[in-house]
Amino acid sequence: MYHQPVLKNRRTLLERAEKFISDVYFTDCNLRGRLYGDSSPLETLSSFLSSKRITFTEASRQTFGPYKVGETFGPTWWTCWFKVTLKIPASWKGKEVHLLWESDGEAMVWRDEQPVQGLTKDGEKTSYILSDCLTDEDPHSVTLYVEVACNGLFGAGQRSMIAAPDPNRTFSVQKAELVVFNHDVQDLLTDFEMLVDIVKELGEGEQRSYQALFTVNEMVNLCDPSDPSSFSKAHSLAHIFFSQRNGESQHTAHAMGHCHIDSAWLWPYEETIRKCGRSWVTVIRLMEKNPDFVFTCSQAQQFQWVKSWYPGLFTQIQHYVKKGKFIPVGGTWVEMDGNLPSGESMVRQFLEGQRFFNHEFGIHCKEFWLPDTFGYSAQLPQIMQGCGISNFLTQKLSWNLVNTFPHNTFFWEGLDGSTVLTHFPPGNSYEMKGKVEELVKTVKNNKDKGRANHSAVLFGFGDGGGGPTQLMLDRLHRVQDTDGLPKVQTSSPDQLFSQLQADSALLCTWTGELFLELHNGTYTTQAPIKRGNRQCEVLLHDIEIASSVALCRNKTFQYPVEKLQELWRLLLLNQFHDVIPGSCIEMVVEDALRYYEDIRRDGAALLHDALGALGSAGTSPGVFNSLPWERHEVIQIQDGAGTPCLALARVPSIGVSPVKDTQPSAPVSVTSQADGTVVMENGILQIVVNNDGTLASLYLIDADREAISESCQGNQFIMFDDVPLYWDAWDVMDYHLQTRKPVVEVVQPPHVVSSGGLRGSVRFTLRISERSTITQEIVVDAMCPYIQFNTEVKWAESHKFLKVEFPVRVRSPNATYQIQFGHLQRPTHRNTSWDWARFEVWGHKWADLSEHNFGVALLNDCKYGYSVHKNTMTLSLLRAPKAPDVNADMGTHHFTYAVMPHTGSFQEASVIQSAYNLNFPLRSIRCPADTEPRSAFSVSAAAVVLETIKQAEDRRGALVVRLYESHGSSVTAALSTALPVREAWHCDFLEREDPTRPARITPEGITLNFSPFQIVSLLLIL
């Protein structure tokens, strides 16, 4: 009797199975070649080209001309609309009928005036289902419209994904026809694919791998692609294999549909709106067919866009949110950068996001969702907790260049001690495809084996949208509980984190920032965006404070609720994690700068109205101070004849004062020396400026201390070569430090612009290269503890990095950097790989290097990149990457930095206040000459900063104030106010009152206790 030979050659059996499902080889006789049955041409196909993104209503009214498959259209960023008329053959009764559509642009199918399906070849979506099983009652003649964007899933980069877009790319439709789709073939292909992958991923050391190999080989033997009746036997074999269950201890993968859509990146904001429409309508179609399917979706801004552009789709989304299937996550307006936005901006991300989700869907997010940003501030845990969020998901630290982060599931402890349960999916991706490889990686990579036995598997095409496919769902369904692989359960963030919390007894804790060891060029790239962000944060702060005080002082004043929300939302949008970092194309930069201009223009009008209401219609010069301490500063005003002049103003905390003609205790003097140097002095500091603009000396007079290192110069501009490995706008590599070249060519040596009195200044110009120059004015003001460097750079470089260095006479193993609502320390040495990886770090308005009783602070008005190595303090100024924006940072830049030597600690020396003063200008107002200086708010403890005063979101006649402890100390402070406050309550950052925590009002003010870096919000009822 004949016995079939038992073959044991692993390679031939495996390759046999691979070729049996290949879409390249043997498609004439393999299974893949049978995926589609009969085909039928479209009745008509016509097109219309638009340079703008227009509505369906407008498009459907246009004149369409004939189009032949293969003809090209474009250019990049245009839209081609197609009108499709089709007739399904009656003979296809009982068959599944698809419109097969392949184009190299992203497409949306419209039917009956509604969007019904997104189509993207890159996203493996090339067909629209006309009928699951054609019946006589189904419409056989159908008219569809297909809106094709002239860009791909990742924009239109020239020769590489992240290169600047090719503006003249043309696009085409390669396939447009009716086909019969053989679902039984697709089911069997999925069986084969999963088994082949199990063979490969489990490897030769695993028995289960061989079981899969022999199963799949036997399936090939049983399956005749030309005879569908043979399919069931092969499918049964696969089913037996997949049904062999796991043991109880197996890891559980929580599968959640996901579609990361960058709000702007390699495409403009406006295209993102359509990406959301295309991706989310596809998700709704999948939900209709797969009742268990769960989809997670972040970014309130994107929901807002869909609501206004696709109202019918938004209604369907609301329906599935109610069913718990379409799950809004994250709680923020956009997935913002985790480093650069201010503390208040981060609070507003959550305030706007959570309020939107609550208003539209009746939910509050319990997890912060930020998979793709470039590092995470140490204040985020406290901000999350203050916004009702105790869980956090990301995966970006898997991109670390130097060190492998030691955990996947852990407690993250922030600056103040707040903790959040944190999960990094061990598959190291937020766009999995439901493949065996990803499931195996999820188990293998889990760095908390034995401590955490549950992980997220986020599946769906992402970054440029696309989202999940039916094939991904089918793959995961096959291996729900299959021996050798983790268990797979359809899940939600809530289920995952509940399970992780329940099993959290052995989890580790990570304290402090989550620093990404990559993309640290983003602290500097696109300087105009950084400047716009800082200036607009300052402006909105001042508008809210002036408006809040005006509300109480002036009965007719209306708080600009709607306009402020509109401006805040624009600012928050620009804090998206590819916009504020500068890692976006030029079109996005132009949009962002236009939004900043809108905020500046409309904000200036709001501030003018509020300050007008405060000034009580006088004509004498006055000044408004939006900061919570008294300021004594030189300002520019206009005299009676309207001529600009300087004055020394003293103004109380959060208050107004007329400008009096007062003189400083020590006037400024500026003297040119015979050797070409210039000496500047204001009674606090004495500076010697060399004839190349560097500082020979920075001397703190009362302390008798020199701040500049011996035989070194301060204010030394340095150029570096800046050629990263790939991510041009994103990365600066450690090796750039080996290319240091001082800028030494003097075009115009220092000359005196203002010789003293209230202000002294010296100006000079240096040449960086044939194309670039630096012009700088060094300014010393009376009574001011720092010197300012007002800088203009004409910049036309390529792959260069400009920094400025201050080698100082300070020795300390750590430097301190301001972050959101506080500060943290980072090493100045390179002992370990963790220290070395921080060769370029981020900070906000100041960095300080101090030893006992003496230090030097570096302040700035719009920069975020720093480096302090040993005793050299460096501020990063400008980069010149060429991708994805070939013109990044080209042009003229204006910025100010300052240097401040001090005795004592930086806390005692008021470095924090000085950095605020540099950033928040005293605002000129007109007031009656006899106006008494008056303060609306003050705080008794120097350690406590009153950061925010605004009208409460949901109650007129109530203010919200936000304070934080800035020194890193435990302190009791009294908040005093001249405003008519009836009662005060503690509230969270979403402004929800805590009825168990009234704040006691005494004659001295409201007494508050702070622990280090604690943020406190109060609701003040007027």
Side-chain angles (χ1 to χ4, degrees), residues 541-586:
H541 167 276
D542 286 6
I543 294 166
E544 288 184 333
I545 289 184
S547 298
S548 297
V549 178
L551 194 61
C552 300
R553 297 260 187 243
N554 188 320
K555 292 278 185 284
T556 61
F557 181 78
Q558 293 282 310
Y559 193 92
V561 176
E562 283 84 12
K563 195 67 193 173
L564 266 171
Q565 183 185 64
E566 181 190 319
L567 299 186
W568 263 113
R569 285 181 169 184
L570 277 182
L571 179 65
L572 299 178
L573 173 58
N574 274 354
Q575 289 173 349
F576 178 74
H577 65 251
D578 278 307
V579 179
I580 191 175
S583 49
C584 50
I585 60 172
E586 189 171 14

Side-chain angles (χ1 to χ4, degrees), residues 667-689:
V668 177
S669 67
V670 182
T671 327
S672 297
Q673 307 295 304
D675 62 358
T677 61
V678 179
V679 178
M680 310 174 77
E681 192 175 323
N682 70 350
I684 301 169
L685 302 170
Q686 184 191 68
I687 301 104
V688 179
V689 182

Side-chain angles (χ1 to χ4, degrees), residues 472-738:
M472 295 175 196
L473 289 165
D474 292 344
R475 286 170 180 152
L476 291 166
H477 184 72
R478 289 291 185 286
V479 292
Q480 297 173 80
D481 191 1
T482 293
D483 185 21
L485 296 178
K487 292 178 183 172
V488 178
Q489 72 176 55
T490 299
S491 189
S492 66
D494 205 26
Q495 285 173 281
L496 168 69
F497 280 108
S498 297
Q499 192 66 59
L500 292 174
Q501 186 68 55
D503 303 340
S504 64
L506 298 176
L507 294 181
C508 301
T509 297
W510 178 274
T511 300
E513 68 182 328
L514 294 173
F515 184 85
L516 177 66
E517 297 172 359
L518 197 72
H519 292 359
N520 30 15
T522 60
Y523 317 148
T524 306
T525 304
Q526 298 287 12
I529 286 181
K530 311 290 196 274
R531 186 170 187 248
N533 179 72
R534 182 80 62 84
Q535 289 181 343
C536 291
E537 286 177 337
V538 166
L539 177 59
L540 292 175
H541 167 276
D542 286 6
I543 294 166
E544 288 184 333
I545 289 184
S547 298
S548 297
V549 178
L551 194 61
C552 300
R553 297 260 187 243
N554 188 320
K555 292 278 185 284
T556 61
F557 181 78
Q558 293 282 310
Y559 193 92
V561 176
E562 283 84 12
K563 195 67 193 173
L564 266 171
Q565 183 185 64
E566 181 190 319
L567 299 186
W568 263 113
R569 285 181 169 184
L570 277 182
L571 179 65
L572 299 178
L573 173 58
N574 274 354
Q575 289 173 349
F576 178 74
H577 65 251
D578 278 307
V579 179
I580 191 175
S583 49
C584 50
I585 60 172
E586 189 171 14
M587 288 173 86
V588 178
V589 176
E590 289 165 357
D591 282 347
L593 296 181
R594 196 171 65 250
Y595 291 164
Y596 290 132
E597 215 33 67
D598 292 346
I599 297 169
R600 286 189 187 104
R601 183 192 63 245
D602 294 353
L606 296 183
L607 186 60
H608 178 268
D609 291 348
L611 294 178
L614 288 177
S616 308
T619 55
S620 296
V623 69
F624 169 71
N625 171 20
S626 68
L627 295 177
W629 44 78
E630 182 183 81
R631 293 168 72 175
H632 198 192
E633 285 174 34
V634 176
I635 60 163
Q636 186 168 304
I637 59 166
Q638 292 185 331
D639 63 14
T643 310
C645 62
L646 297 176
L648 184 61
R650 186 187 290 274
V651 57
S653 71
I654 306 189
V656 293
S657 175
V659 177
K660 306 287 188 194
D661 189 16
T662 56
Q663 292 305 309
S665 51
V668 177
S669 67
V670 182
T671 327
S672 297
Q673 307 295 304
D675 62 358
T677 61
V678 179
V679 178
M680 310 174 77
E681 192 175 323
N682 70 350
I684 301 169
L685 302 170
Q686 184 191 68
I687 301 104
V688 179
V689 182
N690 287 322
N691 53 19
D692 61 356
T694 58
L695 301 190
S697 170
L698 173 56
Y699 181 69
L700 192 56
I701 295 169
D702 283 356
D704 189 25
R705 286 288 295 259
E706 173 58 53
I708 302 295
S709 277
E710 208 171 342
S711 70
C712 293
Q713 285 82 41
N715 199 40
Q716 176 69 67
F717 290 100
I718 307 289
M719 285 282 276
F720 296 88
D721 295 341
D722 186 17
V723 185
L725 298 175
Y726 176 69
W727 296 101
D728 200 355
W730 293 257
D731 287 348
V732 57
M733 310 310 297
D734 51 2
Y735 53 73
H736 87 284
L737 295 168
Q738 298 180 324

Side-chain angles (χ1 to χ4, degrees), residues 78-90:
W78 284 44
T79 301
C80 195
W81 284 83
F82 292 88
K83 186 174 183 179
V84 178
T85 62
L86 54 89
K87 190 161 188 185
I88 304 171

Side-chain angles (χ1 to χ4, degrees), residues 77 229 240 307 369 371 392 417 462 506 618 711 768 859 871 909:
W77 308 125
S229 68
I240 290 165
K307 183 184 178 185
W369 197 270
F392 175 45
L506 298 176
S711 70
I768 296 170
L859 324 176
N871 67 326

